[in-house]
Amino acid sequence: MPQDLRRHVRYPELMLKLQASVYGLYHMTDPTVFYNREDLWTVASEVGSRQPGEQAAIPMEPNFVLMKLPGKGEVEFVEILPFTPSNRNNLIGWIAGRSDGVNYGTALVYDFPKTRLVDGPLQIEARIDQNAQLSGQLSLWNQQGSHVRRGTLLVIPCGKALIYAEPIYLQAERSPMPELRLVVLALQDKLAYGATFEAALRALFGGASSSVSAEPAQPERSATAPSTAGPPDLNALIEGAARDLADYQRLTSEGKLGEAGQKLEQLKQKLDALNARRK
């Protein structure tokens, strides 16, 4: 295959799904554990739409992302799929299919510590449903003539933590084009949301209040509190992260994957810095 063509070949999605299904059983190497199916894994599930207006738990599909794998030096084009233990919803690991250079066709699996429970996609979805303001607003939007569509839940590695991001769309019955209405972000111990990614970041890291309106969310403050959502360097990180995400989406749509990968890495660095400020 000509090299100019080969470098654009990506890891097959069907192959990764089949490998993940088989690996969920055959990652067990102890005969007794294997025979008793004591550590069976399944592909993680998320809330999706089978029919317009009908939501159900469905297996996650592989996602292609540009990211720097843990312990690796370069940004790579990889396909990832997370695992949960059978009959449980916490994350236990994820598999990555690699597409670049000599690594094409190889896969890596990363395990989460079994001594620490890490929220899985369905647990994050449950936290969204249990939030009184969010649940009420989604029920209000999901009335006759329109329905709520939940986008793919993204799991973003951030230092030694994970940030979960889910877009929520509203689609009219007579319109084929959904409209982005909310972005929900979550950490292991906090959930925030806003009309845009930047607004949700401010609510998650900057002390602003989560809001379902299109107006910028303002922090709750006393009469003597400063009028900004955070110190200048915090605001700069949040605004920079929002720009990096917008640039990443634009460059990806234009096919400029190398530049897009650099923007994604810059976004993760800013998220790392924001997450470190919470500690």
Side-chain angles (χ1 to χ4, degrees):
M1 184 183 295
Q3 288 300 314
D4 285 346
L5 181 60
R6 178 181 172 82
R7 67 182 182 182
H8 293 289
V9 176
R10 65 185 188 181
Y11 201 100
E13 295 166 84
L14 179 59
M15 179 180 290
L16 189 73
K17 290 168 67 174
L18 291 172
Q19 288 175 320
S21 176
V22 173
Y23 187 81
L25 173 62
Y26 285 93
H27 76 94
M28 294 179 280
T29 56
D30 181 276
T32 302
V33 174
F34 176 86
Y35 180 79
N36 294 320
R37 304 296 195 265
E38 294 176 10
D39 193 21
L40 186 64
W41 294 0
T42 58
V43 172
S45 296
E46 63 177 340
V47 173
S49 299
R50 296 186 184 274
Q51 299 289 338
E54 178 186 339
Q55 295 182 343
I58 59 175
M60 296 186 74
E61 294 290 327
N63 285 325
F64 285 99
V65 296
L66 285 159
M67 67 178 294
K68 185 184 295 184
L69 292 170
K72 306 299 179 182
E74 300 293 332
V75 172
E76 296 185 38
F77 186 65
V78 299
E79 182 180 11
I80 61 175
L81 195 58
F83 291 110
T84 60
S86 180
N87 300 321
R88 285 187 288 168
N89 293 325
N90 58 289
L91 279 184
I92 195 64
W94 54 282
I95 187 171
R98 306 170 76 182
S99 298
D100 290 350
V102 296
N103 295 317
Y104 173 73
T106 62
L108 294 174
V109 174
Y110 295 91
D111 300 339
F112 289 97
K114 294 184 179 180
T115 56
R116 180 182 177 188
L117 290 179
V118 179
D119 283 348
L122 284 181
Q123 291 172 316
I124 298 298
E125 303 277 16
R127 286 168 58 184
I128 294 173
D129 292 333
Q130 291 165 4
N131 183 284
Q133 184 180 8
L134 264 181
S135 179
Q137 185 62 56
L138 295 181
S139 297
L140 182 63
W141 283 341
N142 215 17
Q143 301 293 331
Q144 186 175 4
S146 64
H147 59 269
V148 171
R149 296 179 64 101
R150 294 195 183 188
T152 299
L153 181 65
L154 302 178
V155 183
I156 305 171
C158 180
K160 294 185 178 181
L162 296 172
I163 291 181
Y164 306 83
E166 180 174 86
I168 295 179
Y169 303 88
L170 187 63
Q171 182 174 12
E173 289 184 354
R174 297 184 180 181
S175 173
M177 185 65 67
E179 178 186 357
L180 178 66
R181 298 303 296 268
L182 274 178
V183 176
V184 181
L185 300 178
L187 295 169
Q188 190 73 13
D189 59 349
K190 186 176 181 180
L191 184 141
Y193 49 90
T196 64
F197 179 68
E198 184 176 359
L201 273 180
R202 289 187 183 280
L204 189 65
F205 295 112
S209 300
S210 294
S211 173
V212 297
S213 69
E215 296 299 322
Q218 297 297 324
E220 298 178 359
R221 57 182 183 266
S222 63
T224 58
S227 58
T228 60
D233 56 338
L234 181 63
N235 288 331
L237 281 172
I238 292 173
E239 292 169 2
R243 286 195 301 271
D244 288 340
L245 177 64
D247 289 342
Y248 168 73
Q249 293 172 323
R250 175 179 57 80
L251 291 167
T252 301
S253 67
E254 294 173 358
K256 300 176 180 178
L257 299 184
E259 296 176 46
Q262 295 174 1
K263 286 296 178 181
L264 182 61
E265 185 61 28
Q266 292 171 16
L267 169 61
K268 289 183 178 179
Q269 290 173 0
K270 291 181 177 65
L271 292 177
D272 286 343
L274 288 167
N275 194 44
R277 293 178 65 95
R278 299 179 66 248
K279 300 177 181 179

